[in-house]
Amino acid sequence: MNLDKKPNAVKEAWDGLLKPVFVPASIVIFAMIAFAVVYSSTAADAFTSLNTAITDGVGWWYILATTGFVVFALYCGISRVGNIRLGRDDEKPEFGVMSWFAMLFSAGMGIGLVFYGVAEPLSHYVVPPEAGGVAGSTDAAANQAMELTLFHWGLHAWAIYVVVGLGLAYMTYRKGRPLSVRWLLEPLLGRKRIEGGIGHAIDTVAIIGTLFGVATSLGFGVQQISAGLSYLGWVESNNWLTVLLIAGVTGLATFSVVSGVSKGLKWLSNINMGLAAGLAIFVLVAGPTLFLMQSWVQNLGGYIQALPEMMLRTSPFADDGWAGAWTIFYWGWWMSWAPFVGMFIARISRGRTIREFVFGVLLAPTIIGSLWFTIFGDAGILRQRENGDLLVDGAVDTNTSLFQLLDGLPLATMSSVLAIFVIVFFFVTSSDSGSLVIDILSTGGELEPPKITRVYWSILEGTAATILLLVGGTGSLTALQTMSIATAVPFSIILVLACVSMVKAFRYDVATTPRYVRVTQTPTTSGPEEPERTADGAPKRRKRVGISSTFSGLGPSTVGLTTPSNGHVVLAVHEVSSESLEVDPDTGAVEFSQDSGPVDPLRGEVFDSQEFADSHEGQSQSNS
């Protein structure tokens, strides 16, 4: 194909792509879609078999790795690493605290919360995991159901996003690297490998995982939209409806890409957040309000108490397949979404310290998610306990459970329509944002990639979701789940290596970044003075002046260390290891050896980019 004869927009887009990433990622994605089409007659069984193989083979690895990500995040937030700023040392946060929390809430919301809001807690209540040893439809099962739900949507989910988001923010805003997943491993592998085949493979894996992760969410969304319209009696669910819904919503997402109205997209997202919050408030007020508020407090306590036992549960003696259908699927799904969500939270967190980042990202969405699942999940469990009308043929229908709950509240039709609008808007924004993130990866970190390639990825996401739903048949949910956990297998290894790589970079940063202390000097006197006394003869309490200090021990090489008129001196203090010190055996003088200091894992590399010039690393090198 002669690219010179293409229209300019197409040629420019092609020239801007990173071919060693774009081409392999596209080939693998098309191959996986083609496999589903060619073997459509046996695809359902194939997906079931593959799901079982992955669950039995690497399920333990997913559980161990995800818990390790929680430990990594807490280490970064609690240790001295937390003092590092994601940007220059003097840089202020780009967004205020409330705006930042609101955007984290936006990232934490998605089709999954609407799809599983009622269905997941109710499922765990009716059919609890065998490993939990709790009988279904009991008080204990109700409490355990909420603990398990918050476990899946709480700290573990967001710790996965912390790994990618923190790494991207650190490497981009502090070290000046392009906004791409590959650079998370530069401290471990070096720049040469990252810019070569290994780096291309990392971004390729990230693209494939993200596309199928977003496609899974789109599949869930269209299933619920179709079920909602059918439940309201407006249409009959069938394959044609599935295709039309995905085509329609993907068309809206594609239009938003082509139009380039970023303000319109932001406006649409804000409206969607408002609609989702309105739906939750409606259920809270129209439902058993006092019961739900009491349940929320208990759910938080139960989650905290049960977390140590659940986080390493692999259920080796259970054969009910519960772990594969829920926990392992979720960990794979979150890993697939990690580049998408991680890149988003990285871009809104410039200027914050790592401590602020970690605890903001871990706690804010977890608390919001706990409130969402309490409102919808506990309302559904209470409804089932009192009326017993939320099951379909004795089981939970994940597609219709939300609409069944709303059907028992006032303004049922209106609230159901509102729920459908929320799902559609999530569908549009997820497809558009997912396309943008994938396109950034396929262009090597270009923040404003061509619109035509964003259209390409948007259509490909919709195509993947459609085919997986159609060839999966009655097991379409299994097909979606299988693709998520399968594409997350290689990316989980990248995430673990990213943790090791980031710790290596953080340790150097902590060792070389000074801590600033203010030293004040108290006035001295030539001898003892009679203390001042009050009117009744009692000694008057002296007022604290500051910290008494002396610099007389510093040698003559010290210059400029004088106490200014305001009475204090600001010093930059570096901690040094004993290996970096040389002691003269005769005089006892201590000298610092720069050669024995910490080694920079990034080796002082320089980049010819605006991101590098604006970063802490770039400015440090320009000032040295």
Side-chain angles (χ1 to χ4, degrees):
M1 183 181 294
N2 188 352
L3 297 177
D4 293 333
K5 295 182 179 180
K6 290 184 177 182
N8 288 336
V10 177
K11 185 177 185 303
E12 290 177 4
W14 177 258
D15 291 341
L17 289 171
L18 190 61
K19 313 301 189 302
V21 173
F22 176 83
V23 174
S26 297
I27 291 174
V28 172
I29 291 168
F30 277 115
M32 297 176 77
I33 294 175
F35 168 80
V37 173
V38 172
Y39 295 96
S40 59
S41 59
T42 59
D45 292 336
F47 281 124
T48 301
S49 300
L50 180 58
N51 188 286
T52 302
I54 295 174
T55 301
D56 295 342
V58 301
W60 64 271
W61 163 251
Y62 277 12
I63 291 172
L64 181 62
T66 306
T67 297
F69 298 148
V70 177
V71 175
F72 167 80
L74 294 177
Y75 163 75
C76 293
I78 295 173
S79 70
R80 289 177 52 201
V81 170
N83 297 326
I84 299 174
R85 192 167 293 278
L86 300 173
R88 302 181 302 274
D89 287 339
D90 61 345
E91 195 164 1
K92 303 300 181 185
E94 186 176 358
F95 301 99
V97 174
M98 295 307 298
S99 298
W100 186 55
F101 278 160
M103 285 185 282
L104 287 177
F105 170 76
S106 174
M109 291 291 291
I111 292 174
L113 283 181
V114 184
F115 187 77
Y116 283 113
V118 177
E120 181 174 352
L122 188 60
S123 296
H124 300 335
Y125 168 69
V126 176
V127 185
E130 181 181 316
V134 173
S137 302
T138 61
D139 292 348
N143 292 328
Q144 180 182 255
M146 296 308 302
E147 293 167 1
L148 292 169
T149 302
L150 298 188
F151 173 57
H152 292 150
W153 292 81
L155 297 179
H156 279 65
W158 286 92
I160 297 173
Y161 299 151
V162 163
V163 174
V164 178
L166 176 58
L168 289 175
Y170 177 82
M171 293 300 293
T172 301
Y173 300 136
R174 189 163 183 86
K175 297 301 180 180
R177 272 47 177 176
L179 188 65
S180 188
V181 175
R182 67 173 67 196
W183 295 102
L184 301 185
L185 272 64
E186 186 194 358
L188 187 65
L189 302 178
R191 179 176 178 177
K192 184 177 180 180
R193 292 188 178 93
I194 289 303
E195 290 184 329
I198 293 178
H200 299 331
I202 291 171
D203 280 351
T204 298
V205 169
I207 287 176
I208 296 170
T210 302
L211 185 135
F212 282 108
V214 173
T216 299
S217 297
L218 301 187
F220 287 164
V222 76
Q223 279 187 311
Q224 198 167 31
I225 294 171
S226 175
L229 295 174
S230 178
Y231 188 82
L232 292 173
W234 295 354
V235 294
E236 182 178 349
S237 294
N238 52 51
N239 289 341
W240 283 109
L241 179 61
T242 298
V243 173
L244 289 175
L245 287 174
I246 293 182
V249 180
T250 302
L252 290 175
T254 304
F255 174 77
S256 70
V257 170
V258 175
S259 64
V261 287
S262 57
K263 291 183 179 180
L265 289 174
K266 182 178 179 180
W267 179 70
L268 181 64
S269 298
N270 290 336
I271 288 181
N272 197 24
M273 292 302 103
L275 292 177
L279 181 63
I281 293 172
F282 168 76
V283 176
L284 176 64
V285 174
T289 307
L290 180 59
F291 167 79
L292 294 178
M293 296 310 298
Q294 291 173 332
S295 298
W296 181 54
V297 176
Q298 178 170 301
N299 291 341
L300 287 175
Y303 168 58
I304 295 171
Q305 183 178 12
L307 186 59
E309 189 272 333
M310 292 189 298
M311 63 185 184
L312 290 175
R313 180 191 289 177
T314 58
S315 309
F317 297 106
D319 57 3
D320 57 349
W322 187 94
W326 292 102
T327 304
I328 296 172
F329 157 65
Y330 272 126
W331 295 169
W333 194 17
W334 302 150
M335 290 180 198
S336 298
W337 268 66
F340 176 15
V341 179
M343 192 172 293
F344 172 79
I345 61 178
R347 292 187 67 178
I348 66 173
S349 300
R350 179 165 193 158
R352 298 208 168 272
T353 65
I354 288 180
R355 182 169 293 111
E356 292 173 333
F357 179 94
V358 167
F359 289 110
V361 173
L362 283 182
L363 297 181
T366 297
I367 293 173
I368 293 170
S370 69
L371 187 58
W372 177 276
F373 278 106
T374 294
I375 292 173
F376 289 94
D378 272 315
I381 291 175
L382 181 64
R383 169 82 169 273
Q384 177 61 25
R385 288 169 65 91
E386 292 181 345
N387 301 334
D389 59 352
L390 287 188
L391 302 183
V392 178
D393 297 328
V396 177
D397 188 335
T398 54
N399 294 323
T400 62
S401 56
L402 171 63
F403 301 103
Q404 289 175 275
L405 174 68
L406 296 176
D407 193 37
L409 299 175
L411 306 175
T413 301
M414 186 179 300
S415 60
S416 296
V417 172
L418 174 61
I420 292 175
F421 271 109
V422 170
I423 299 167
V424 169
F425 286 161
F426 275 135
F427 203 150
V428 174
T429 54
S430 294
S431 179
D432 177 69
S433 302
S435 302
L436 173 61
V437 168
I438 293 173
D439 212 13
I440 290 174
L441 293 173
S442 66
T443 55
E446 178 61 47
L447 296 182
E448 292 296 334
K451 295 176 183 177
I452 191 169
T453 49
R454 292 172 66 179
V455 172
Y456 166 79
W457 292 115
S458 178
I459 294 175
L460 193 54
E461 288 166 1
T463 302
T466 302
I467 292 175
L468 289 175
L469 284 175
L470 296 183
V471 303
T474 57
S476 56
L477 184 61
T478 300
L480 294 168
Q481 292 176 333
T482 302
M483 295 307 293
S484 286
I485 65 173
T487 54
V489 172
F491 196 64
S492 66
I493 300 174
I494 294 174
L495 290 178
V496 171
L497 294 177
C499 291
V500 177
S501 180
M502 287 297 101
V503 168
K504 190 175 182 180
F506 293 155
R507 291 179 64 183
Y508 174 80
D509 215 328
V510 167
T512 57
T513 301
R515 289 189 296 169
Y516 295 95
V517 295
R518 183 173 66 92
V519 182
T520 60
Q521 198 165 16
T522 58
T524 60
T525 59
S526 58
E529 294 182 353
E530 181 68 23
E532 297 183 48
R533 297 185 180 274
T534 60
D536 58 0
K540 183 181 290 186
R541 187 173 183 179
R542 284 180 180 266
K543 177 181 167 183
R544 292 185 183 178
V545 180
I547 302 172
S548 178
S549 61
T550 176
F551 302 106
S552 59
L554 296 176
S557 62
T558 306
V559 292
L561 189 58
T562 58
T563 305
S565 58
N566 58 11
H568 67 258
V569 177
V570 175
L571 299 177
V573 179
H574 294 263
E575 286 193 13
V576 296
S577 64
S578 58
E579 292 83 1
S580 303
L581 302 178
E582 295 180 358
V583 182
D584 189 310
D586 298 326
T587 64
V590 179
E591 293 289 339
F592 172 69
S593 174
Q594 187 69 41
D595 296 336
S596 302
V599 178
D600 184 1
L602 299 176
R603 300 168 183 83
E605 297 283 359
V606 177
F607 289 75
D608 184 18
S609 66
Q610 190 60 43
E611 291 92 350
F612 184 79
D614 293 339
S615 69
H616 169 81
E617 184 76 7
Q619 295 206 354
S620 297
Q621 293 196 26
S622 64
N623 294 332
S624 60

